[in-house]
Amino acid sequence: MSGGPQRRSRRSAGLLLFRRPGSGGLEVLLGHMGGPFWSRREKGAWTVPKGEYQEDEPAWRAACREFREELGLAPPDGEALPLGEVRQAGGKTVTVWAVEGDLDPAAIVPGTFVTEWPPRSGRTQEFPELDRVAWFGLDAARAVIVTAQAAFLDRLAEHSL
């Protein structure tokens, strides 16, 4: 057993907005991760709007806060359908709720983050948290979403039958 500090697992919470277009089926709102690492990637680069939170903050409150921070819009009113949690490849545990609603992706005003870029250059640049937001049918979403988060799409589809 190590005498060093224990590392706490990272946790994120988010809201998966969905709608039922006139053509039937479901569409979900996903965001393309911002920053230079993701700029030329599609597969695995789209995510539920979410963000990290501390143990003393309720996950639901964090999900609503992160929706506002990442998209610049208030979370929609409506019943929240818990979709549970998944553990992503990097070890982060993500908890998500689905909420039915509609919004225009052009209305998004993304939050930003600062990082050193290029690496080891000593220069920092600001990038959007999400550089694009779009509606996807479930099959199209499965093709681009972070692999572990596809479970949320499956759970949403099960609840919507």
Side-chain angles (χ1 to χ4, degrees):
M1 210 163 146
S2 166
Q6 288 187 334
R7 182 177 174 153
R8 291 197 169 107
S9 63
R10 294 184 0 228
R11 301 187 64 81
S12 284
L15 297 180
L16 179 61
L17 198 61
F18 72 95
R19 66 184 183 184
R20 302 168 199 270
S23 61
L26 293 174
E27 290 183 339
V28 294
L29 185 77
L30 299 178
H32 184 270
M33 292 183 270
F37 180 77
W38 301 103
S39 65
R40 294 193 174 124
R41 299 173 189 225
E42 286 296 308
K43 185 175 180 169
W46 290 80
T47 183
V48 172
K50 62 171 181 42
E52 290 189 15
Y53 65 98
Q54 301 300 316
E55 288 182 23
D56 61 344
E57 181 180 17
W60 170 250
R61 185 178 303 152
C64 293
R65 174 181 49 78
E66 288 295 332
F67 188 92
R68 185 182 308 274
E69 287 178 10
E70 296 221 345
L71 302 180
L73 301 170
D77 292 329
E79 181 182 349
L81 174 64
L83 298 180
E85 60 183 38
V86 298
R87 188 172 176 93
Q88 295 185 166
K92 182 184 291 185
T93 300
V94 180
T95 305
V96 167
W97 287 265
V99 178
E100 189 166 3
D102 198 2
L103 64 80
D104 179 359
I108 302 302
V109 180
T112 60
F113 69 97
V114 175
T115 191
E116 182 179 20
W117 192 259
R120 296 179 291 287
S121 68
R123 295 191 310 252
T124 59
Q125 291 187 43
E126 187 173 41
F127 298 97
E129 294 272 355
L130 300 173
D131 60 16
R132 290 177 275 153
V133 176
W135 288 101
F136 291 87
L138 292 181
D139 289 340
R142 279 186 194 93
V144 297
I145 198 167
V146 172
T147 303
Q149 292 180 26
F152 297 131
L153 304 176
D154 297 338
R155 294 170 192 169
L156 175 61
E158 289 173 13
H159 284 289
S160 300
L161 294 177

